[in-house]
RNA sequence: UCCCCUGUAGCUCAGCUGGUAGAGCAAGCGACUGUUAAUCGCUGGGUCGUAGGUUCAAGUCCUACCGGGGGAGCCA
């Protein structure tokens, strides 16, 4: 099927072709012809179609050519006498495939608020912005796979359903086949042995633990799949269902990990800038006037490595009034992270070696007894886009940390086995795919960076 | 979950100190035009989120609930 993108790029006057798509707008001339702006999603631009009134069935058909209608058109490519396009299509046949009642079609030839478009998520991909987001998302996804494939990483599909009830932090969605309505009335303890898996099960919050299994068997690997968090988060950067990229690399320490994260982000940005030029220019013009500048700035500068302890020092000596006090041992607040990346360094930074008391059990303990080999990549505007660490590979230290975090090592027997049999230093991180899309497009709200956002009280479509 | 803002025609909003609703855009029709966010004219379209309350009278004040947005926390 011929697409408008390739027609606009390659076709020359004189060539005949057939094209299908959706009408964005129609302008009539009473002197006997009409202009149709046709879009098929292959690119931002529309193909201008000229329909003379001698086209068979013109009188009846042209009335049905309204915004949103689908049409099939045959015609000849012409040099366009008008401004705004190199070529246009002179129609010889026009067929309306599907009408679109202009009285009720929710998308109009005007700007719509993102809040409104979110309510019509089944139609918003037909708008300029959401078409562009879908194409950028696709390009970013392809770039992610390319990056890892080119570097010898194995793509691993880790489970969606899990029975390890404490993969990390975060509330989990329960998965059950038990009859909840009956249980609600029964007032007895729930007998999970009667449930589908014979014990409590949930949707995964991370594929990391399973990825570690393959990393310590087959070498560098990565997962790229859906992740679920049942947190009651209502922000512009949280979703209950989102996609996460999680590489895991054996024989790699935290420095290797930070280098990988930086190379990875730069590779994806660079690829998207190259393959989605038109869409990126649109974002820069209509969504965020600084997005191209920001992305190029990221490409041109090294991510600044800053230890948590140094960051605390910078924040303490900053001439700023903090809503939350800065104190070693406490997690950094949004205002602190934003200050560091947006004001102090003015570029992405990698914070590393956090206090062990605020980080999960699997992060490698440092000799100082106070910190762990954790790292967060923070970017301007979005904040944390990557969280990762070197993993604790020493069995006794790992078990000690589990107990410290009130976890039962028995529950993680297969995870600790990896330390019992041929343990190796290894590292990895998780990247929130939709946050990356936010960074790439300049879109303010993460709900507009995924086709069908799931947030508290919202799972339509 | 907490704090703040908000909910009026298909969409975006106005409606000041309470007296039963208006604009722009969209849509329909007409005019005009190789047009391109086209332009001009006319027309239709709203039990003002829901439920109570105060008042002679509420879109306008009060309460609760529901929805939307922003910020915070949690994190990716």
């Amino acid at each position: 099927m011929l697409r408008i993108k390739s027609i606009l790029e390659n076709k020359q006057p004189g060539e005949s072709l057939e094209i299908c798509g959706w009408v964005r707008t129609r302008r009539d001339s009473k002197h006997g012809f009409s202009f149709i702006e046709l879009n098929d999603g292959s690119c931002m631009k529309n193909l201008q179609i000229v329909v003379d009134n001698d086209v068979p069935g013109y009188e009846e058909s042209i009335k049905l050519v309204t915004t949103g209608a689908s049409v099939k058109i045959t015609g000849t490519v012409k040099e366009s006498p008008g401004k705004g396009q190199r070529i246009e299509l002179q129609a010889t046949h026009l067929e309306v495939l599907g009408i679109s009642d202009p009285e009720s079609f929710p998308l109009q030839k005007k700007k719509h608020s993102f809040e409104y478009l979110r309510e019509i998520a089944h139609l918003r991909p037909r708008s300029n912005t959401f078409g562009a987001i879908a194409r950028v998302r696709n390009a970013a996804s392809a770039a992610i796979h390319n990056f890892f494939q080119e570097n010898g990483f194995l793509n691993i599909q880790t489970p969606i359903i899990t029975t390890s009830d404490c993969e990390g932090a975060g509330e989990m969605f329960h998965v059950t086949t038990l009859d909840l309505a009956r249980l609600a009335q029964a007032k007895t303890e729930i007998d999970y042995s009667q449930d589908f898996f014979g014990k409590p099960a949930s949707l995964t919050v991370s594929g990391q633990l399973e990825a570690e299994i393959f990393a310590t068997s087959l070498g560098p690997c990565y997962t790229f799949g859906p992740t679920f968090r049942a947190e009651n988060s209502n922000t512009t950067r949280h979703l209950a269902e989102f996609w996460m990229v999680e590489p895991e690399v054996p024989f790699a320490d935290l420095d290797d990990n930070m280098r990988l994260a930086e190379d990875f982000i730069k590779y994806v940005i660079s690829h998207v800038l190259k393959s989605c030029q038109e869409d990126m220019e649109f974002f820069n013009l209509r969504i965020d006037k600084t997005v191209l500048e920001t992305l190029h700035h990221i490409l041109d500068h090294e991510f600044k490595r800053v230890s948590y302890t140094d960051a605390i020092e910078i924040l303490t000596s900053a001439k700023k009034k903090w809503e939350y006090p800065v104190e070693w041992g406490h997690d950094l607040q949004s205002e602190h992270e934003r200050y560091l990346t947006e004001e102090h360094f003015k570029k992405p930074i990698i914070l590393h070696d956090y206090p062990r008391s605020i980080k999960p059990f699997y992060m490698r303990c440092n000799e100082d007894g106070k910190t762990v080999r954790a790292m967060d990549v923070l970017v301007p505007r979005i904040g944390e886009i990557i969280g990762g660490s070197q993993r604790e590979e020493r069995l006794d230290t790992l078990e000690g940390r589990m107990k410290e975090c009130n976890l039962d090592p028995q529950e993680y027997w297969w995870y600790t086995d990896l330390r019992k049999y041929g343990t190796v230093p290894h590292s990895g991180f998780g990247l929130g795919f939709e946050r990356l899309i936010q960074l790439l497009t300049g879109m303010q709200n993460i709900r507009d960076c995924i086709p069908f956002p799931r947030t508290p009280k919202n799972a339509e479509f």
Side-chain angles (χ1 to χ4, degrees), chain A residues 62-226:
Chain A
I62 203 69
K63 286 182 206 150
L64 304 175
V65 178
T66 54
T67 303
S70 52
V71 296
K72 176 152 82 173
I73 290 165
T74 314
T76 312
V77 176
K78 273 199 341 184
E79 208 168 300
S80 179
K83 285 179 183 169
Q85 59 279 320
R86 178 181 68 90
I87 52 169
E88 61 191 21
L89 190 68
Q90 182 73 47
T92 50
H93 287 283
L94 164 66
E95 182 186 348
V96 176
L97 299 174
I99 59 164
S100 171
D101 178 12
E103 290 274 10
S104 62
F105 185 59
L107 277 175
Q108 301 171 355
K109 293 189 297 185
K110 56 170 281 190
K111 278 184 188 168
H112 289 291
S113 67
F114 293 131
E115 292 81 13
Y116 172 67
L117 289 169
R118 236 169 265 153
E119 292 170 7
I120 49 167
H122 60 308
L123 294 171
R124 69 178 184 169
R126 298 192 192 184
S127 66
N128 287 333
T129 304
F130 286 90
I133 294 168
R135 287 184 296 267
V136 165
R137 222 182 127 93
N138 171 69
S141 169
I144 286 165
H145 284 292
N146 287 345
F147 174 83
F148 289 122
Q149 294 297 323
E150 285 170 12
N151 286 288
F153 282 64
L154 218 56
N155 184 203
I156 306 295
Q157 287 76 37
T158 50
I160 307 288
I161 298 174
T162 176
T163 53
S164 35
D165 69 336
C166 196
E167 282 182 343
E171 290 294 310
M172 300 174 83
F173 287 102
H174 298 300
V175 174
T176 185
T177 52
L178 295 173
D179 186 335
L180 296 179
R182 283 183 59 184
L183 284 175
Q185 294 180 345
K187 293 190 182 167
T188 52
E189 288 248 323
I190 296 172
D191 180 8
Y192 281 106
S193 69
Q194 299 299 307
D195 204 352
F196 189 90
F197 296 106
K199 52 175 155 177
S202 307
L203 295 179
T204 184
V205 294
S206 165
Q208 180 199 320
L209 302 192
E210 287 90 352
E212 285 187 46
I213 293 174
F214 279 78
T216 56
S217 310
L218 300 164
C221 62
Y222 71 105
T223 72
F224 186 1

Side-chain angles (χ1 to χ4, degrees), chain A residues 3-8 19 38-40 42-43 45 47:
Chain A
R3 308 292 302 276
I4 286 174
K5 180 182 166 67
S6 77
I7 292 174
L8 291 175
I19 187 74
L38 196 70
N39 191 282
D40 70 352
S42 60
C43 59
K45 287 202 185 80
L47 177 63

